[in-house]
């Protein structure tokens, strides 16, 4: 893994993410948020993105497994050669934001969806993001055979 | 979910994007986060003066895994960051460091401190080394005196500027 943090977790950063998403959407609009997500997914997480472009889901799977575990999330992750499915029943970020401020940014899940979408851009994969309730969602990254 | 450990790398990118639009865009974002910062610090301001500041940064020291030393003196509170985890992460960032990265720290903490009657003197020291010194005074004159002795003062809102009457 390119980044692998250890030690304590500072969950208040999720509040800053939530506030930042709302601020961007209200002042700059969705295209700006898309640009930020692309830079984050494709440049900050260059290693994950490179693996996806090569058709390899392992780096993304390892990243999700590590960080959802590290933050105390409740989730299942299934993977085969063509598909990675992350089902989150209790998102630690969303849960912390709701606990402290009462609700999520109306754009919170859109941000997550854009991050994953940016990871899949120009790769053999496509993604879907389904929200079940504020702290629960399923992300599917599957091979797009139509693009092969 | 963006991992909380990686928020600093995401906003390093945000700083680059905002700076491209103009300096004012960056400053307005700092002020937005400053409002959030104030709500998170409120209970520490209700404690006794510098001891409240100590308690707040002690909480940050643990949660953010900071290597830093803090001390309360008669006239000020001092925080010596020996290895900033935030800048360290962005020195180890495949997207590259925003050279103005360190500026955000005083950009969002200074308005909160001055609103509560404190005058921070923030010595960045270097924008590429993960260390800095912040001394926080109650007495503005003492803060101004201190600001003349630091290596690289960062006073984003000119709080320590001596204005001609």
């Amino acid at each position: 893994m390119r980044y692998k943090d250890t030690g304590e977790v500072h969950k208040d950063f999720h509040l800053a993410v939530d506030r930042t998403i709302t601020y961007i959407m209200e002042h700059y609009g969705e295209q700006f948020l898309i640009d930020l997500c692309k830079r984050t997914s494709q440049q900050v997480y260059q290693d994950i993105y490179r693996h996806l472009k090569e058709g390899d889901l392992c780096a993304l799977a390892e990243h999700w497994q590590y960080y959802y575990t590290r933050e105390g999330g409740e989730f299942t992750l299934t993977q085969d050669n063509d598909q990675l499915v992350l089902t989150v029943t209790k998102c630690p970020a969303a849960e912390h934001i709701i606990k402290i401020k009462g609700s999520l940014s109306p754009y919170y899940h859109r941000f997550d969806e854009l991050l994953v979408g940016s990871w899949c851009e120009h790769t053999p994969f496509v993604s879907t993001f389904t929200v079940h309730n504020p702290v629960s969602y399923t992300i599917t990254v599957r091979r797009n055979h139509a693009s092969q | 979910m963006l991992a909380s450990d990686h928020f600093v790398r995401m906003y390093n990118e945000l700083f680059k994007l905002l700076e491209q639009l103009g300096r004012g865009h960056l400053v307005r974002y700092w002020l937005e986060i400053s409002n959030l910062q104030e709500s998170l610090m409120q209970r520490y301001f209700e404690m006794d003066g510098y001891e409240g500041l100590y308690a707040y940064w002690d909480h940050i020291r643990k949660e953010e895994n900071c290597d830093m030393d803090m001390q309360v003196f008669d006239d000020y509170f001092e925080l010596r960051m020996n290895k900033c985890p935030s800048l360290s992460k962005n020195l180890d960032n495949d997207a590259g460091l925003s050279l103005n990265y360190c500026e955000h720290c005083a950009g969002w903490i200074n308005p909160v401190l001055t609103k509560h009657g404190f005058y921070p003197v923030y010595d960045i020291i270097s924008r590429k080394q993960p260390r800095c010194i912040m001394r926080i005074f109650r007495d503005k004159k003492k803060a101004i005196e201190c600001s003349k002795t630091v290596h690289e003062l960062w006073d984003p809102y000119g709080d320590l500027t001596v204005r001609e009457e």
Side-chain angles (χ1 to χ4, degrees), chain A residues 93-105:
Chain A
E95 195 178 46
H96 184 73
I97 294 162
I98 292 168
K99 181 179 141 196
I100 302 295
K101 74 174 259 269
S103 63
L104 293 175
S105 163

Side-chain angles (χ1 to χ4, degrees), chain A residues 2-3 5 8-10 13-14 16-17 19-20 23 28 39 45-46 67-68 70-71 112, chain B residues 1-2 4-7 9-10 13-14 16 25 28-29 32 35 62-65 89 92 94:
Chain A
R2 173 63 182 86
Y3 308 120
D5 301 84
E8 294 293 316
V9 176
H10 184 55
F13 276 137
H14 293 306
V17 172
R19 185 80 159 239
T20 296
Y23 181 78
Y28 299 99
R39 293 179 80 114
Y45 293 115
Q46 232 173 79
Y67 281 100
Y68 276 92
R70 173 166 160 74
E71 299 220 20
D112 273 352
Chain B
M1 173 188 80
L2 180 72
S4 57
D5 291 308
H6 298 161
F7 173 58
R9 290 191 176 97
M10 184 271 271
E13 293 311 296
L14 179 56
K16 292 176 191 172
H25 292 268
R28 281 193 286 278
Y29 173 64
E32 177 71 12
N35 291 332
K62 291 171 190 159
E63 279 206 358
E64 294 196 42
N65 306 291
K89 284 179 185 176
D92 176 30
D94 286 339

Side-chain angles (χ1 to χ4, degrees), chain A residues 2 4 11 21 23 30-31 33 38 49 52 75 85 93 95-96 106 110 124 126 135-137 142-143 147:
Chain A
R2 173 63 182 86
K4 192 170 187 177
K11 287 196 177 181
I21 295 165
Y23 181 78
E30 186 167 278
Q31 187 54 51
L33 192 65
K38 281 188 184 184
Y49 187 52
L52 289 170
F75 67 101
V85 181
E95 195 178 46
H96 184 73
R110 179 66 178 141
V126 291
V135 300
S136 176
Y137 47 83
R142 64 175 171 78
R143 200 173 296 275
S147 75

Side-chain angles (χ1 to χ4, degrees), chain B residues 130-142:
Chain B
R131 62 193 182 98
C132 63
I133 301 172
M134 184 162 57
R135 298 185 181 94
I136 303 172
F137 294 79
R138 274 287 191 200
D139 186 325
K140 186 174 181 178
K141 285 182 184 168
K142 287 180 179 171

Side-chain angles (χ1 to χ4, degrees), chain A:
Chain A
M1 269 174 83
R2 173 63 182 86
Y3 308 120
K4 192 170 187 177
D5 301 84
T6 56
E8 294 293 316
V9 176
H10 184 55
K11 287 196 177 181
D12 284 349
F13 276 137
H14 293 306
L15 295 166
V17 172
D18 183 82
R19 185 80 159 239
T20 296
I21 295 165
T22 301
Y23 181 78
I24 289 172
M25 288 296 284
E26 291 181 352
H27 291 81
Y28 299 99
E30 186 167 278
Q31 187 54 51
F32 193 93
L33 192 65
I34 290 169
D35 292 344
L36 178 62
C37 287
K38 281 188 184 184
R39 293 179 80 114
T40 303
S41 293
Q42 299 175 9
Q43 294 179 37
V44 174
Y45 293 115
Q46 232 173 79
D47 183 59
I48 293 173
Y49 187 52
R50 182 176 54 80
H51 277 87
L52 289 170
K53 283 203 285 191
E54 291 168 357
D56 181 357
L57 289 162
C58 290
L60 179 57
E62 190 180 14
H63 170 80
W64 276 341
Q65 181 71 45
Y66 184 80
Y67 281 100
Y68 276 92
T69 302
R70 173 166 160 74
E71 299 220 20
E74 291 180 11
F75 67 101
T76 58
L77 187 62
T78 59
Q79 182 188 355
D80 61 31
N81 193 41
D82 285 336
Q83 182 169 276
L84 181 61
V85 181
L86 173 69
T87 301
V88 180
T89 48
K90 198 179 280 183
C91 172
E95 195 178 46
H96 184 73
I97 294 162
I98 292 168
K99 181 179 141 196
I100 302 295
K101 74 174 259 269
S103 63
L104 293 175
S105 163
Y107 316 105
Y108 187 82
H109 294 299
R110 179 66 178 141
F111 172 72
D112 273 352
E113 183 179 16
L114 289 171
L115 278 179
V116 180
S118 299
W119 262 326
C120 293
E121 189 180 54
H122 307 308
T123 77
F125 300 101
V126 291
S127 62
T128 57
F129 189 98
T130 308
V131 179
H132 308 301
N133 65 54
V135 300
S136 176
Y137 47 83
T138 299
I139 305 172
T140 303
V141 176
R142 64 175 171 78
R143 200 173 296 275
N144 182 11
H145 289 288
S147 75
Q148 304 292 295

